[in-house]
Amino acid sequence: GSSYTYGIDGLFAFYDNLKFNTYLAKTETPGLRGDDTSYQAELDYKSDRWSLKLERLGVGGNFNPEIGFLRRDDFRRNFAEFRYSPRPQSIAAVRRFLVQPSLDYITDGAGQLETRLQQLLLGAEFENGDRLFGGVTDNFEFLKRPFRIAKDVSVPTGAYSFVNTRVVYALGEQRVITGAVFLERGGFFGGQKTSIGYNRPRVNLGSQLTLEPSLSLNWITLPEATFSSELVSTRATYTVTPRMFLSALLQFNSANSSLGSNIRFRWEYQ
């Protein structure tokens, strides 16, 4: 038989700061009937000092876009995020501050809570372009089946509540070397996790060649096991012309002892 996916989406902009984004999609798959729709409604208001984002997202249990990709199925998501970012006149070194609470609330199709993330993010953007952030996240995860987290290590089913904190220092985009250094510490599925790393990096080696090395080190202690994992990657990009570039990625993940690579050539010929 044949499968079908169809839908409609729309983006509506009101004035300069207010947008409404929405879609409605449906699939038809042999052997699957009912609960086969997906939808989203998102309200996004952004100004220099204030912002507010509200979202409702749903994916049915039988929604099956055969050639598409679903990170999660059979769920309903409610998301809210508020930002307040004043620009202080009395502190010369600070361009603006950031206060940003958010709530991510996800249930399955039957209304069972699966994920809840309550986060408070505080930060400052300096006049030299660097940024400093600190955040606290209250996590809840309900696992319906065991979760394989590393070789020979699985997290059992059940409900897990834990809190973690994160500090990030990001270098300004105008620097020769950019990226963000982070430190994270807190609970993790009944245990503890400590992470340090360097992400979103960029090293400019002239006007045409850039390197993007990345590193993440994690030390995890669970009731079932104690282990560590490392993720190391680097990307090289050579820009031939503004419309043509060649990039290569090499990545190693110690959790499953995997080494991956790819090479990509892109040319916008017209």
Side-chain angles (χ1 to χ4, degrees), residues 232-259:
V232 183
S233 69
T234 185
R235 182 190 301 274
T237 302
Y238 182 75
T239 304
V240 183
T241 71
R243 293 187 176 183
M244 182 188 301
F245 71 81
L246 178 68
S247 67
L249 173 69
L250 185 66
Q251 178 173 282
F252 174 73
N253 186 349
S254 69
N256 52 14
S257 300
S258 66
L259 180 66

Side-chain angles (χ1 to χ4, degrees), residues 29-61:
T29 306
L32 299 177
R33 290 292 182 270
D35 200 22
D36 53 7
T37 60
S38 177
Y39 62 88
Q40 181 193 41
E42 181 186 73
L43 180 70
D44 192 4
Y45 172 80
K46 286 184 179 179
S47 67
D48 184 68
R49 174 168 292 192
W50 310 90
S51 74
L52 175 66
K53 178 180 288 189
L54 301 174
E55 180 188 13
R56 169 71 174 184
L57 173 64
V59 176

